[in-house]
Amino acid sequence: WDKLGFTAGAFVGLPLNNTFSVQIDLRYEQKGSHSDPDTPVPGDPYSLKLDYVVMPLIFSANLSSLKINGKTCKWLAFELGASLDVLARHKESINGASDGIYNYWHRLSCSSIVGVKLSFKEKYELAFRSVNSITSIYKGNLSNENSVRLGKHGAFNDVLELVFYYRF
């Protein structure tokens, strides 16, 4: 189910004070899954490509008050946020055959964001994030699945992001 995807976008950030800031992004993200062709499973190989327009709102807490070996950690911040994800395009195939008749995927979904951000060279930042669906991305009934969030069964996007930022 591991799939590498591309993300690109822009953001606007606003410092609230010396410690806290808020940021809103507008991004294009590729999500989905595909099966391992070396591990045969009936119905494989399976591929799901979901392209989203994502609008996260992220709150950051800078750790400038923390000192390590007498030096402040102003380069380190923790992030917490949520995003609204809008499905722009999808493609699902099993054994290379595409199922384009019915759309099984919700147009809107919500995700939580938890991460850490490293600042370096004044204009550059690198963020490591875990982005996890709060709501199911699948329209159907998946009551036999083990994935449960907010008491409901479903299919969920769980993404590890490495984000590079350049500030103008």
Side-chain angles (χ1 to χ4, degrees):
W1 299 103
D2 302 324
K3 181 183 175 304
L4 188 64
F6 176 75
T7 300
F11 72 97
V12 175
L14 175 67
L16 301 175
N17 57 34
N18 287 339
T19 304
F20 298 103
S21 63
V22 64
Q23 173 179 313
I24 189 163
D25 296 12
L26 181 61
R27 298 193 308 240
Y28 166 82
E29 291 185 359
Q30 294 178 327
K31 298 180 183 181
S33 62
H34 65 88
S35 58
D36 184 0
D38 298 330
T39 308
V41 175
D44 277 348
Y46 175 78
S47 175
L48 173 63
K49 295 178 181 179
L50 301 170
D51 296 343
Y52 285 93
V53 174
V54 178
M55 295 164 279
L57 179 64
I58 302 168
F59 294 92
S60 296
N62 187 295
L63 296 181
S64 58
S65 60
L66 179 67
K67 290 188 178 186
I68 298 176
N69 293 332
K71 294 185 179 184
T72 61
C73 295
K74 62 183 178 181
W75 49 269
L76 181 63
F78 285 108
E79 299 180 315
L80 186 63
S83 71
L84 176 64
D85 308 337
V86 180
L87 182 64
R89 185 175 61 172
H90 71 282
K91 182 178 180 186
E92 187 174 17
S93 64
I94 300 173
N95 290 324
S98 182
D99 180 8
I101 298 170
Y102 185 73
N103 180 3
Y104 299 99
W105 311 102
H106 283 294
R107 181 95 167 133
L108 297 174
S109 62
C110 296
S111 299
S112 64
I113 301 169
V114 176
V116 62
K117 187 174 7 179
L118 309 170
S119 299
F120 55 98
K121 295 228 181 185
E122 207 174 309
K123 293 192 179 248
Y124 301 100
E125 294 178 337
L126 193 61
F128 302 97
R129 295 182 181 144
S130 175
V131 181
N132 305 91
S133 293
I134 298 170
T135 59
S136 177
I137 61 169
Y138 187 72
K139 288 181 183 176
N141 181 9
L142 294 173
S143 60
N144 60 341
E145 293 294 319
N146 290 331
S147 293
V148 178
R149 305 234 171 114
L150 300 175
K152 297 191 181 216
H153 294 270
F156 303 93
N157 280 322
D158 295 324
V159 178
L160 292 176
E161 287 184 341
L162 174 62
V163 183
F164 175 75
Y165 287 103
Y166 177 78
R167 290 188 178 273
F168 291 101

